Amino acid sequence: MSLHPTLQPYADAWTHSVDAISELVSPLVEGEWNRRTPCPGWSVRDVVSHVIGLDCEMLGDPRPIHTLPRDLYHVRTEHQRYMEMQVDARRHHTAPEMTSELEYTIIRRNRQLRNESRDPSHKVRGPLGTELTLEQAMRNRAFDVWVHEQDLRAALGQPGNLDSPGAHVVRDELLSVLPKVVAEDAQAPRSSAVVFDVHGPVEFIRTVRVDIQGRGTLETAPALGPAATLTLDWETYVRLACGRVTADLVADRIKAEGDPHLIAAILRAFAVTV
C-alpha cells in the first residue's frame, strides 16, 4: 500500500461508507429510488448520483455537459448549482444503470487509492475550480459519503453505522467549526463558555470558550458556570449540523440550560453544511 499514513483513515472511512451505500441500494426496486431523503430536494437516486459524480471528479473524469432546469427550488447558490449538475444528469437513469455505475465507480476509486502515492499536501482540483490539498479532498469525501449514507438509511428505514470510521471523521470536522458557530455566528458574549455534551454511539464533551477579543477556542475540559449547556444525542447533533432538521423539529431531543437568547442563536447557526 503506497497511500500516505495521514490519508489512510480517510480512505478507510470512504471505503466503509461507500460499500454500505452499495449494499443498501443494490436490492432496491425502481420505485424505491424515488424515495425522499433528509437531504433537501434529493431522492435516493439523487444522493447516489451525487456520490458517483463527486467520486468521478476525484478520478479526473470530465463533468457532464448539462443544462439545469430553472424550477429546482432547492438550488439557490452557485455551489448548489455545481453539485446539482451531476445529480440532474442522472435523474432519468434506471435502477440497473445506477447500481452498475456505482459499482464501477467504486472499483475505479479503489484502484486509484491502491496506487495513490502523492503527498497529502499535493494540490488537487476542487468544486468550482478551487484548489485544495489531497488530504482535504479525501477528508471531504469521507465526510460527504458518510453523511449521505445516513441520508439513505433514514429514507430506507435502515439505521446503522452511527459509530463507523466515517462518523469519527464527521465528528472531528463538525467540532473544528464549532468555535466559529458559537463565537462568530451566534455572537456569544466575550469571556464566556458554552458546553456541548453529546451522548450515543459517538460521545464527547467539548467547551467553546470565547476570549476577551471574541475569539472562540475548543477545549476538552467542561467549563464551570458556562453561559449555556446543550445536551443532545449524536444522531441529532449530526442532523442539525448537516441541515437535515431544524431545532424546533427535534426540540424534545435537546436539553438546553443557560441563556435562552444565546441558546437560540447557537441553534439558528448550527447548520454548517447541507
Side-chain angles (χ1 to χ4, degrees):
M1 173 68 75
S2 57
L3 194 63
H4 192 283
T6 304
L7 304 177
Q8 192 64 55
Y10 305 127
D12 292 344
W14 173 86
T15 299
H16 191 279
S17 292
V18 83
D19 285 348
I21 287 174
S22 181
E23 189 176 317
L24 282 167
V25 302
S26 291
L28 298 183
V29 299
E30 198 67 53
E32 291 175 299
W33 286 84
N34 298 321
R35 285 193 188 181
R36 179 182 295 182
T37 73
C39 188
W42 281 1
S43 66
V44 168
R45 178 184 282 100
D46 296 339
V47 167
V48 176
S49 295
H50 170 75
V51 170
I52 292 169
L54 287 198
D55 274 310
C56 285
E57 291 185 26
M58 288 290 286
L59 286 159
D61 293 356
R63 281 170 54 77
I65 299 171
H66 181 73
T67 302
L68 285 180
R70 295 180 178 272
D71 59 350
L72 297 174
Y73 74 92
H74 58 283
V75 178
R76 301 186 186 92
T77 67
E78 199 57 36
H79 184 264
Q80 288 169 336
R81 287 184 62 81
Y82 182 96
M83 293 301 175
E84 196 72 20
M85 200 72 77
Q86 295 277 13
V87 171
D88 197 67
R90 294 174 172 83
R91 279 222 159 93
H92 300 294
H93 286 197
T94 64
E97 287 173 328
M98 293 299 300
T99 53
S100 61
E101 188 181 13
L102 176 63
E103 288 168 13
Y104 182 51
T105 304
I106 292 171
I107 290 168
R108 294 175 65 211
R109 280 282 282 137
N110 277 324
R111 186 185 302 127
Q112 181 188 40
L113 291 170
R114 282 196 303 272
N115 296 324
E116 183 59 81
S117 58
R118 293 174 294 181
D119 189 81
S121 62
H122 179 85
K123 290 296 179 71
V124 297
R125 185 179 175 86
L128 291 168
T130 57
E131 270 200 349
L132 62 167
T133 65
L134 178 61
E135 181 179 358
Q136 184 64 57
M138 289 185 60
R139 184 161 60 236
N140 289 353
R141 290 306 302 130
F143 181 105
D144 189 63
V145 174
W146 183 84
V147 170
H148 288 308
E149 178 198 340
Q150 294 303 315
D151 286 333
L152 295 171
R153 289 187 177 280
L156 299 170
Q158 296 192 43
N161 283 352
L162 282 166
D163 60 348
S164 66
H168 294 274
V169 174
V170 170
R171 175 201 61 194
D172 293 346
E173 281 292 280
L174 293 180
L175 284 174
S176 73
V177 297
L178 206 49
K180 177 183 181 297
V181 169
V182 172
E184 297 180 33
D185 301 335
Q187 290 286 296
R190 298 181 180 199
S191 302
S192 69
V194 177
V195 174
F196 295 85
D197 185 349
V198 175
H199 55 88
V202 173
E203 295 187 329
F204 54 87
I205 297 177
R206 294 291 187 275
T207 298
V208 175
R209 198 172 295 279
V210 184
D211 66 17
I212 194 65
Q213 279 82 37
R215 295 186 297 252
T217 54
L218 193 68
E219 300 179 359
T220 55
L224 296 175
T229 300
L230 285 91
T231 304
L232 65 165
D233 65 275
W234 167 238
E235 185 177 7
T236 302
Y237 186 97
V238 168
R239 292 170 70 201
L240 283 168
C242 295
R244 273 33 180 185
V245 291
T246 54
D248 58 315
L249 292 176
V250 289
D252 59 322
R253 302 184 69 165
I254 304 169
K255 181 184 176 184
E257 298 174 323
D259 181 346
H261 298 294
L262 175 57
I263 290 165
I266 290 170
L267 291 174
R268 278 196 304 272
F270 210 72
V272 293
T273 182
V274 289

